[in-house]
Amino acid sequence: MRNPQLNKHGELTHLISTEGLSRDILQHILDTAQTFVPLAERDVKKVPLLRGKSVFNLFFENSTRTRTTFEIAATRLSADVFNLNINVSSAAKGETLLDTIANLSAMQADIFVVRHESSGAPYLIARHVSPDVHVINAGDGRHAHPTQALLDMYTIRHFKKSFSNLTVAIVGDVLHSRVARSNIHALTTLGVAEVRVIAPLTLLPSGLAEMGVKTYTDMAQGLKDVDVIIMLRLQNERMRGALLPSSHEYFKHFGLTQEKLAYAKPDALVMHPGPMNRGVEIESAVADGPQSVILNQVTFGIAVRMAVMSIVAGASS
Ligand code: CP
């Protein structure tokens, strides 16, 4: 069966997940993003690639980084950008997601950027829009956050130059994390030497071994000699029942401190998708320290989202 993100020519027409995307497609997105990075240094930070196109940002869940960088990215591509305010939209009156999409499509939308609390919502939309309309997943439930994974890959490649010799540890609430899932697919496809996950047993999902991931429940063992550490937020809003004794206890065992960071290689990168809970999964001395590339991730997110939008918009219908 054809990957639903690809059109009949094998081109990326929607971005729903990093799962199933080839190394060539991932590299093409990263290479395209690299061409957009220097734009930030120019007086006029715009290129005309999406002139005349309409990008609709539909964020049914809160966001600071993703929503804003998608808006900046679309603006830099010269698109017209419309941010639907979900709280005052007719979704609050009971309009279905697909009716909302049908009405916005009637306003000649070209690209929908969708964040939704339900896993699968962007895919559902992608199945119902016409072939010349493109859907980009900005995070759906626990399922996927592909542009976060791509900007993480961009950041790793920028600082480490190549993926092949790297050991990458993903630490924290993997059970509820769409970022972890998307990163694991991207890292394995791009050929890193080893992907590790470090978490308490209650926050480890099943199926990680089948994804080629080694699991650890101890930071000293899991962080030993790693090149990259991706910290995850404790997603209390998605937890049902008591999965942890307390955030204090969690920080003691799994919070990234300078002491625990010393288990990794001396030049290990510290990453976090944000938003961070300081003092819960990471201490400020590390989050703001010399090995942290957390704000670089945010900046690279603009170029990566420009790349994704320009690539899907260029796919033949
Ligand atoms: N990383 C991320 O998705 O952040 P936001 O929720 O602020 O978009």
Side-chain angles (χ1 to χ4, degrees), residues 59 62-67 115 138 145 148 178-179 273-275:
F59 278 69
N62 294 350
S63 168
T64 296
R65 283 147 288 269
T66 312
R67 178 181 172 138
R115 170 168 288 192
H145 195 349
Q148 179 67 48
R178 54 197 179 206
V179 174

Side-chain angles (χ1 to χ4, degrees), residues 1 32 60 64 108 110 207 216 223 243 247 282 288 290 306:
M1 199 181 88
T32 306
F60 292 85
T64 296
Q108 282 82 47
D110 295 292
Y216 295 82
L223 289 181
L243 296 176
S247 57
I282 191 165
D288 305 327
M306 289 177 76

Side-chain angles (χ1 to χ4, degrees), residues 222-279:
L223 289 181
K224 190 169 167 27
D225 295 333
V226 303
D227 300 281
V228 178
I229 306 170
I230 301 176
M231 297 304 298
L232 300 174
R233 182 174 67 88
L234 271 189
Q235 301 193 37
N236 291 310
E237 74 277 17
R238 296 190 207 285
M239 289 190 195
R240 291 199 186 88
L243 296 176
L244 295 168
S246 68
S247 57
H248 176 75
E249 192 70 8
Y250 180 81
F251 180 70
K252 190 170 134 197
H253 294 288
F254 294 96
L256 189 62
T257 56
Q258 286 176 305
E259 191 187 16
K260 294 196 195 92
L261 179 57
Y263 296 126
K265 286 188 182 161
D267 62 348
L269 302 178
V270 174
M271 300 173 62
H272 193 306
M276 281 186 284
N277 291 313
R278 291 170 184 263

Side-chain angles (χ1 to χ4, degrees), residues 195-208:
V195 183
R196 301 179 185 176
V197 154
I198 313 170
L201 272 178
T202 50
L203 295 181
L204 279 173
S206 57
L208 287 170

